[in-house]
Amino acid sequence: MAAGLPEPEPLRALIDALRGLPGVGVRTARRMAYHLLQHDPQGALRLGDALRDAVGGLRHCERCNSFSQTPVCATCENPERDASVLCVVETPADQNMIEASHGYQGLYYVLMGRLAPLEGVGPDQVRFAPLRERVRDGRVREVILATNFTAEGETTAYYLAEMLRECGVKVTRLARGVPSGSELEYVDAGTIAWALMERRPN
Amino acid sequence: MAAGLPEPEPLRALIDALRGLPGVGVRTARRMAYHLLQHDPQGALRLGDALRDAVGGLRHCERCNSFSQTPVCATCENPERDASVLCVVETPADQNMIEASHGYQGLYYVLMGRLAPLEGVGPDQVRFAPLRERVRDGRVREVILATNFTAEGETTAYYLAEMLRECGVKVTRLARGVPSGSELEYVDAGTIAWALMERRPN
């Protein structure tokens, strides 16, 4: 942004703080600041309170590593869930999507990240140690790797498979294939190749 | 977003508050919340403080209507600026860009919005009255309309031109034409048409 007029200090500080949000550059931050100050000061105050409450009130669940208000989250405490299966996901959003499929009754471990060697995120930056301990507790029989099917997610899955095989549990990966409801004409070639390789008797 | 797991209340409240930002939907809000909580809790607290400080510390300058910490902003107080010319812009960002051109020494009036009949934003929603009073103070000789060259900006400029002509001042509009440094081959036809219509002796 070219120099222009000096901005009042609180406005400059707000634009600067908004730029800390992922995917927000200086123009977007400026637009957000103007919008909040001009049209939604109540929303701005509510966001301020929500940020403070969330940072102060949330911790990581001791068992699944997801965000929780209590030491152990409601999902991990639920006696109706199958403690012998553990699904490893990258983020709470992924956990939500799996839960929304209504196809899973086991427990979760949320990595809160993934290996990304190109960004300098190695095994030391992602909390793998609690997962290994969890898997060694004797109750877990199968670990389902549900990291994303991106380069980083696949790298993470590969690393975890190596690490967990030593623990003597069954390690599986979500199936790759043609998405439900899709027409082959519009599915990318890589997906078709995987679906062919992993074809199954019908 | 499908149902999924119940989110801890502070996280849900934070995602909800982030959705109030312009252009932020539920997925982006979720990503922002995870990022702040996982990787940048200090940034989250800083953003919370900045929001409170900005809402509490900023007001509208009594003369130009832009954001200011003081009743009258530094630009309006500056005795070296030419008080006989007034440039009307939609937002402080536009004001910044004009200032950055180093081509203007007059004062500003910031509408903090524009007429947008399709969105239900009419003359009552944009603060035109203080501008009319300002123009009637006897010092202003020329008003430069520098609203955007969009449908809404043009509508606003047309409305303002009608309104201000009654006040007996000269009303001008930023020149339309070919952008500096551009090749005609890549300029859109509408711009070329304007540049032809408003051609000038060289």
Side-chain angles (χ1 to χ4, degrees):
Chain A
M1 201 70 163
L5 292 173
E7 269 156 346
E9 174 51 30
L11 181 60
R12 201 200 52 69
L14 175 56
I15 292 170
D16 220 52
L18 284 167
R19 288 186 62 186
L21 294 170
V24 174
V26 66
R27 273 172 211 268
T28 308
R30 214 176 279 270
R31 189 145 32 90
M32 287 173 167
Y34 295 153
H35 170 83
L36 289 174
L37 291 170
Q38 187 64 23
H39 301 290
D40 196 11
Q42 287 313 312
L45 293 176
R46 199 163 58 94
L47 176 54
D49 291 345
L51 285 161
R52 206 171 42 251
D53 293 350
V55 171
L58 291 176
R59 59 173 90 194
H60 291 289
C61 167
E62 288 169 7
R63 307 200 68 216
C64 74
N65 198 39
S66 191
F67 295 118
S68 172
Q69 285 180 277
T70 47
V72 175
C73 76
T75 312
C76 289
E77 293 273 31
N78 187 343
E80 297 193 358
R81 303 205 66 123
D82 179 358
S84 70
V85 195
L86 194 67
C87 181
V88 179
V89 292
E90 293 181 22
T91 68
D94 300 334
Q95 184 186 9
N96 263 325
M97 291 311 288
I98 290 184
E99 201 61 16
S101 75
H102 297 292
Y104 184 66
Q105 285 300 319
L107 294 174
Y108 292 93
Y109 186 86
V110 184
L111 293 172
M112 293 288 183
R114 72 279 186 276
L115 294 179
L118 295 180
E119 297 166 21
V121 180
D124 295 340
Q125 278 75 50
V126 187
R127 294 181 68 216
F128 290 131
L131 172 59
R132 191 179 349 214
E133 272 173 49
R134 172 82 179 274
V135 169
R136 280 182 174 151
D137 73 358
R139 299 186 65 190
V140 177
R141 300 259 167 258
E142 175 179 355
V143 175
I144 304 175
L145 300 175
T147 54
N148 286 325
F149 286 78
T150 57
E152 290 87 356
E154 296 280 21
T155 309
T156 310
Y158 182 82
Y159 182 93
L160 286 175
E162 292 289 301
M163 179 181 105
L164 295 174
R165 241 182 289 277
E166 293 170 14
C167 304
V169 293
K170 187 173 162 193
V171 179
T172 56
R173 180 94 169 103
L174 284 190
R176 262 169 287 234
V178 179
S180 154
S182 63
E183 298 180 62
L184 290 187
E185 185 177 352
Y186 300 105
V187 173
D188 68 297
T191 298
I192 302 267
W194 268 113
L196 276 170
M197 254 194 303
E198 308 205 342
R199 66 189 182 279
R200 28 163 290 177
N202 196 359
Chain B
M1 200 70 162
L5 291 173
E7 270 157 344
E9 175 51 31
L11 180 60
R12 200 200 53 70
L14 175 56
I15 293 171
D16 220 51
L18 284 166
R19 287 186 62 186
L21 294 170
V24 174
V26 65
R27 274 170 211 269
T28 308
R30 216 175 278 272
R31 190 147 29 90
M32 286 174 167
Y34 295 154
H35 170 83
L36 288 174
L37 291 170
Q38 186 65 23
H39 301 292
D40 196 12
Q42 287 313 310
L45 293 176
R46 196 162 61 91
L47 176 55
D49 291 345
L51 286 161
R52 208 171 38 252
D53 293 351
V55 171
L58 291 176
R59 58 173 91 195
H60 292 289
C61 168
E62 287 169 9
R63 306 201 67 219
C64 73
N65 197 36
S66 191
F67 295 118
S68 171
Q69 285 180 278
T70 48
V72 176
C73 76
T75 312
C76 289
E77 293 272 32
N78 187 343
E80 298 193 355
R81 304 205 66 125
D82 179 358
S84 70
V85 196
L86 193 65
C87 181
V88 179
V89 292
E90 292 182 21
T91 68
D94 300 334
Q95 183 185 10
N96 263 325
M97 293 311 288
I98 290 183
E99 202 60 15
S101 74
H102 297 292
Y104 184 66
Q105 286 301 316
L107 293 174
Y108 292 94
Y109 186 85
V110 184
L111 293 172
M112 293 287 182
R114 73 278 187 277
L115 293 180
L118 295 180
E119 296 166 22
V121 181
D124 296 338
Q125 279 76 50
V126 186
R127 295 182 68 217
F128 289 132
L131 171 59
R132 190 177 353 210
E133 273 173 48
R134 173 80 180 275
V135 169
R136 281 182 173 152
D137 73 357
R139 300 186 65 190
V140 177
R141 300 258 167 260
E142 176 180 353
V143 175
I144 304 174
L145 300 176
T147 54
N148 286 325
F149 286 77
T150 57
E152 290 87 358
E154 296 280 22
T155 307
T156 310
Y158 182 82
Y159 181 92
L160 287 175
E162 293 288 302
M163 179 181 104
L164 296 174
R165 242 184 289 277
E166 294 170 14
C167 306
V169 293
K170 186 173 161 194
V171 180
T172 57
R173 179 94 170 103
L174 283 191
R176 262 169 287 234
V178 179
S180 154
S182 64
E183 300 179 61
L184 289 188
E185 186 178 350
Y186 300 105
V187 174
D188 69 297
T191 299
I192 303 265
W194 269 113
L196 275 170
M197 255 193 302
E198 309 206 341
R199 67 190 180 277
R200 28 163 292 178
N202 196 358

